[in-house]
Amino acid sequence: MNSAWIDHYRVLGLNFGASQESIKHRYRELAKIFHPDNKITGSKPVFLQVVESYQILSKPDARTRFDTEFQIRKKRDEGYKSGMYVIPPSRILFATQAVEFARRGLLRAGIRSSARKKYTGIYHDIRICLKKEELLGRIFAAIPLVVRSICPECMGSDLNCGSCGGKGSYKSFRYLKWSPEPGSLVPGKIYTLDLSGFRPDVFTHFKKRTLKVKIELFQGHKK
Ligand SMILES: [Zn+2]
């Protein structure tokens, strides 16, 4: 998908076709949270994006133009996805690092994570096993990752909130959708995905900053 194109509904956490009322309501909520003056949750780039998305969705002309483009893109993406190899979850495997470390007695204090990696030879976070035809074509992998979300009940601002226990945020998971360029993957190589600039939505961010993905050739399931 073109990274320059922005889904303004997604920015505001709304569905396509949301009412003007809910657009305005959500804009006010988000503007308060992300305003740069807000010392806890403020973020200038997110705030500016929220303002821009609101301006487009709240002006009938701009919104009609955006809605048309949105629907064209949606159709195109659906067609695109149908020509992809969707990788089943059974072939997206997490490196069982902690288990491996424990087995080799490497979980003792004083051993750095980099040293543990050296001993075990595990430098990746996940493995994705691909068939030959998938290595040549376009793949689509949904990788479940831990995220931290701002509490939707109190928006991170109520110390007595029953939903988050006053923490303001909570752990959850979201799928990272990965679709690298066809033919760009080589079995045995490790690819580092940068997650720092990638947010599933404005309330949520991935806990890890990078993800190391090792590509392997699928040779059937070993019993
Ligand atoms: Zn809360």
Side-chain angles (χ1 to χ4, degrees), residues 170-215:
Y170 60 91
K171 260 196 208 171
S172 161
F173 83 95
R174 290 282 197 295
Y175 287 102
L176 173 72
K177 290 162 188 160
W178 191 44
S179 187
E181 277 305 303
S184 67
L185 301 178
V186 179
K189 264 187 89 170
I190 295 174
Y191 298 83
T192 304
L193 313 190
D194 181 11
L195 306 177
S196 60
F198 190 84
R199 287 176 149 223
D201 58 65
V202 287
F203 295 110
T204 309
H205 65 268
F206 287 116
K207 282 210 81 185
K208 294 174 81 68
R209 297 185 69 91
T210 59
L211 184 75
K212 287 190 166 25
V213 181
K214 187 176 186 190
I215 298 300

Side-chain angles (χ1 to χ4, degrees), residues 9-171:
Y9 288 104
R10 205 187 167 107
V11 169
L12 298 181
L14 296 165
N15 289 325
F16 178 79
S19 69
Q20 277 303 323
E21 210 172 277
S22 50
I23 289 168
K24 200 172 203 170
H25 180 78
R26 184 53 64 84
Y27 165 67
R28 284 186 179 147
E29 255 177 13
L30 295 177
K32 238 185 263 172
I33 294 168
F34 294 111
H35 195 282
D37 286 349
N38 187 328
K39 291 213 162 45
I40 300 160
T41 54
S43 161
K44 197 176 175 194
V46 178
F47 177 73
L48 292 176
Q49 183 55 62
V50 165
V51 171
E52 189 203 323
S53 295
Y54 172 67
Q55 282 172 345
I56 286 166
L57 294 184
S58 62
K59 286 179 196 145
D61 276 8
R63 183 174 178 178
T64 305
R65 234 176 296 133
F66 175 74
D67 281 358
T68 308
E69 208 192 331
F70 182 98
Q71 281 170 313
I72 290 169
R73 275 179 177 269
K74 202 178 155 217
K75 279 212 183 80
R76 197 201 292 158
D77 287 349
E78 277 164 5
Y80 200 35
K81 217 165 144 177
S82 67
M84 282 191 207
Y85 294 105
V86 178
I87 307 306
S90 62
R91 287 200 269 124
I92 301 174
L93 306 158
F94 283 80
T96 49
Q97 287 182 348
V99 174
E100 185 68 8
F101 291 157
R103 199 165 66 82
R104 301 192 190 187
L106 293 171
L107 276 182
R108 280 176 287 129
I111 299 179
R112 296 171 69 97
S113 164
S114 56
R116 288 182 190 137
K117 283 180 181 171
K118 209 177 127 192
Y119 287 124
T120 54
I122 300 174
Y123 291 93
H124 57 276
D125 301 308
I126 64 160
R127 288 187 291 139
I128 299 182
C129 302
L130 299 177
K131 296 177 180 174
K132 269 189 191 139
E133 62 268 29
E134 292 164 345
L135 283 164
L136 299 170
R138 184 175 281 279
I139 63 155
F140 177 85
I143 305 165
L145 292 177
V146 176
V147 294
R148 190 155 274 284
S149 295
I150 296 174
C151 173
E153 281 301 312
C154 69
M155 296 297 178
S157 60
D158 181 3
L159 285 173
N160 300 312
C161 174
S163 188
C164 65
K167 286 193 183 115
S169 65
Y170 60 91
K171 260 196 208 171

